[in-house]
Amino acid sequence: MNILVLGSGGREHTLTWKLAQSPLLKNLYVAPGNAGTATIANNIAMNVNDFEAIGKFSKENNIDIVVVGPEDPLVNGIHDYFLNDEALKEIHVIGPQKKAAELEGSKEFAKKFMMRHNIPTAAYQSFTKDTVEAGCEFLTTLNAPYVLKADGLAAGKGVLIIKDLKEAQDSLREMLIDAKFGDASTKVVIEEFLDGIELSCFVLTDGKNYVTLPTAKDYKRIGEGDTGLNTGGMGAVSPVPFADAEFLEKVETRIIKPTIDGFQKDNLPYKGFVFIGLIKVGNDPFVIEYNVRLGDPETEVVIPRLEVDLVELFQAVGNQKLDEVSLQIKSAAATTIMVVSGGYPEAYEKGKEITGIETIEDSIVFHAGTKLNDGKVLTNGGRVIAITSHADTYEEAIKKSYQSINKLHFDKMYYRKDIGFDL
Ligand code: AMP
Ligand code: GLY
């Protein structure tokens, strides 16, 4: 099998690391990749949204499977692009077609989907420029805090949670009239605030069958004690200790099954990962959002816990034979801590030399924003490296990750020292 992974983060290094372990693998490529993927695969300088270049490369290199890491190319229709080309249509693309990727591409589309299939989620209404005053009126019928969501993709920044009514009404006007999030806020979803604890669950589906992957919890804020600005994610833990068997049973019957059935009923072609952002209110699960890909850094704890040949698993997705695959999950816990560039998620410097990586033995080093330069590994992004560890308990795993981080160094390096402490 020849496989091409699209993306350049910790998620993609983790997928590449797992794929590289398969005896079924012949050639492994990552576009564009990072310094970590360069050591186990061939990095190809291609943009993940340059479908023409990706198609041409796939033909020339007899690619069998394309694994799409980030949401952008999916929402832009990379799967459809392959299906519409005689020479590419037999290639398995892991990731939904454009129509189904709307589940992440449009919050309103996702809400309507959940309503149609009776999947528990916060009550909502959506508004446009023409109905902005009705939106302000609707806000007066809700209790604080107010949740405003830009309908489209806004790089994880399109959700505002506001305590004050007047401020929420002003923000609604800014989003709809002043295009605060550009085209993404042409429509705004206003929803009921749900008070609970968040976790994520991951499903891999072939459109008909599915397998449920381990749960994970990520830490979104930059500061300790979950304070400060939102980031892509500063660390993750799997499994989630507060998601017991009874709760997971509810997730399966009330959320996962109706979601996969919903894809079929609505004719949404879906072969790929579904990332379901959940909130546990009392003892009941509600859906906060769907993403049509794996999470980052959740992948860095979920994928290492799978005891399966990932190439075989992706083949089964492509051939709609996931029912024939049995998925074993390591009982040991996994944790990951993100090491980031000082200043992130605001301005930060790149090009700092990273040392000590080769001295880390008790953890797995997944690269995110790194690049190779003259044999040196340099920082090349906000999130730089994820340090994943396994242990019988998540407490021990976290301890291991922190011990490993002590061996790592680069100028202005930062990480949260409290990952998992709230559990
Ligand atoms: P999203 O981009 O939809 O994941 O939203 C970003 C974050 O906003 C989530 O991770 C939650 O912390 C929070 N959030 C979104 N919707 C709600 C809601 N209805 N109630 C409470 N918190 C929410
Ligand atoms: N860690 C959250 C995400 O990948 O969207």
Side-chain angles (χ1 to χ4, degrees):
M1 290 281 132
N2 296 322
I3 302 186
L4 170 64
V5 177
L6 298 180
S8 62
R11 168 179 52 207
E12 288 77 18
H13 186 197
T14 310
L15 287 166
T16 305
W17 167 85
K18 188 74 179 169
L19 289 165
Q21 295 166 19
S22 171
L24 299 172
L25 187 74
K26 200 159 119 210
N27 294 303
L28 183 55
Y29 305 93
V30 188
N34 58 34
T37 60
T39 62
I40 50 174
N42 304 296
N43 280 1
I44 309 295
M46 278 190 303
N47 183 299
V48 297
N49 284 306
D50 188 349
F51 298 171
E52 226 168 282
I54 294 166
K56 186 165 174 278
F57 178 88
S58 300
K59 287 177 201 167
E60 287 170 1
N61 294 278
N62 295 316
I63 296 297
D64 300 291
I65 302 177
V66 177
V67 184
V68 187
E71 64 277 16
D72 265 42
L74 294 167
V75 174
N76 293 338
I78 192 166
H79 197 146
D80 311 63
Y81 181 88
F82 271 64
L83 287 174
N84 290 329
D85 185 315
E86 271 310 308
L88 296 172
K89 69 176 192 200
E90 300 298 327
I91 297 175
H92 297 318
V93 177
I94 306 301
Q97 287 173 52
K98 190 180 170 108
K99 202 172 144 196
E102 278 295 277
L103 280 175
E104 178 163 0
S106 163
K107 302 266 186 209
E108 192 193 33
F109 181 91
K111 288 303 250 188
K112 284 186 172 159
F113 175 86
M114 289 184 264
M115 293 295 160
R116 227 174 8 254
H117 301 292
N118 283 316
I119 296 167
T121 187
Y124 83 104
Q125 282 193 29
S126 51
F127 300 92
T128 62
K129 206 173 180 173
D130 296 334
T131 54
V132 64
E133 290 315 313
C136 290
E137 189 58 38
F138 178 62
L139 282 168
T140 65
T141 68
L142 300 175
N143 295 321
Y146 306 94
V147 183
L148 308 183
K149 300 185 171 185
D151 180 60
L153 289 184
K157 298 193 175 77
V159 176
L160 301 180
I161 299 186
I162 302 169
K163 291 201 187 88
D164 181 72
L165 174 63
K166 167 97 185 23
E167 213 181 293
Q169 291 172 327
D170 288 345
S171 292
L172 181 67
R173 290 193 182 97
E174 276 172 32
M175 288 167 96
L176 290 173
I177 298 169
D178 310 330
K180 184 181 170 96
F181 298 104
D183 285 347
S185 64
T186 308
K187 221 182 256 174
V188 172
V189 167
I190 300 179
E191 64 178 45
E192 165 202 13
F193 179 82
L194 297 175
D195 198 5
I197 19 178
E198 286 179 61
L199 70 153
S200 303
C201 98
F202 299 89
V203 180
L204 180 64
T205 181
D206 60 14
K208 203 164 72 184
N209 312 288
Y210 67 88
V211 290
T212 303
L213 308 179
T215 54
K217 174 174 167 54
D218 84 334
Y219 291 80
K220 287 204 173 77
R221 305 293 193 92
I222 188 72
E224 278 150 32
D226 272 321
T227 54
L229 293 174
N230 255 326
T231 70
M234 296 295 290
V237 174
S238 176
V240 179
F242 57 79
D244 56 22
E246 189 194 339
F247 179 76
L248 291 177
E249 173 68 31
K250 289 180 189 168
V251 173
E252 181 97 28
T253 54
R254 296 180 193 175
I255 293 169
I256 298 176
K257 269 199 168 77
T259 296
I260 306 298
D261 288 347
F263 295 164
Q264 288 194 284
K265 286 182 191 150
D266 293 355
N267 223 344
L268 296 175
Y270 209 120
K271 289 184 174 184
F273 292 102
V274 196
F275 164 166
I276 312 178
L278 296 173
I279 190 158
K280 184 181 182 195
V281 182
N283 262 320
D284 294 317
F286 289 80
V287 177
I288 292 271
E289 64 167 348
Y290 287 109
N291 294 308
V292 297
R293 50 168 174 91
L294 281 172
D296 194 349
E298 292 90 333
T299 305
E300 288 91 308
V301 290
V302 169
I303 293 292
R305 292 190 62 219
L306 303 185
E307 301 209 57
V308 70
D309 182 328
L310 198 55
V311 176
E312 214 174 291
L313 196 62
F314 287 161
Q315 271 181 308
V317 170
N319 297 325
Q320 257 191 359
K321 290 197 167 143
L322 257 188
D323 52 330
E324 293 175 12
V325 175
S326 85
L327 185 71
Q328 304 296 322
I329 292 165
K330 284 193 184 104
S331 58
T335 61
T336 200
I337 317 278
M338 262 294 168
V339 181
V340 308
S341 300
Y344 172 81
E346 296 183 283
Y348 55 84
E349 294 165 33
K350 293 183 188 177
K352 310 282 187 194
E353 185 180 352
I354 308 168
T355 56
I357 294 174
E358 67 292 341
T359 65
I360 296 175
E361 285 169 354
D362 297 334
S363 306
I364 317 169
V365 178
F366 292 124
H367 291 235
T370 67
K371 68 170 182 190
L372 273 180
N373 192 306
D374 273 343
K376 288 180 181 162
V377 181
L378 306 183
T379 66
N380 193 38
R383 295 193 294 170
V384 175
I385 273 178
I387 303 284
T388 294
S389 307
H390 290 285
D392 288 339
T393 65
Y394 72 87
E395 290 95 333
E396 285 169 69
I398 286 167
K399 212 159 121 193
K400 260 195 201 173
S401 284
Y402 282 124
Q403 280 164 355
S404 297
I405 287 179
N406 281 333
K407 301 181 175 171
L408 200 66
H409 180 78
F410 61 88
D411 185 33
K412 300 198 174 75
M413 144 177 163
Y414 171 80
Y415 56 92
R416 270 180 64 170
K417 296 178 187 63
D418 67 340
I419 301 300
F421 284 27
D422 57 321
L423 304 170

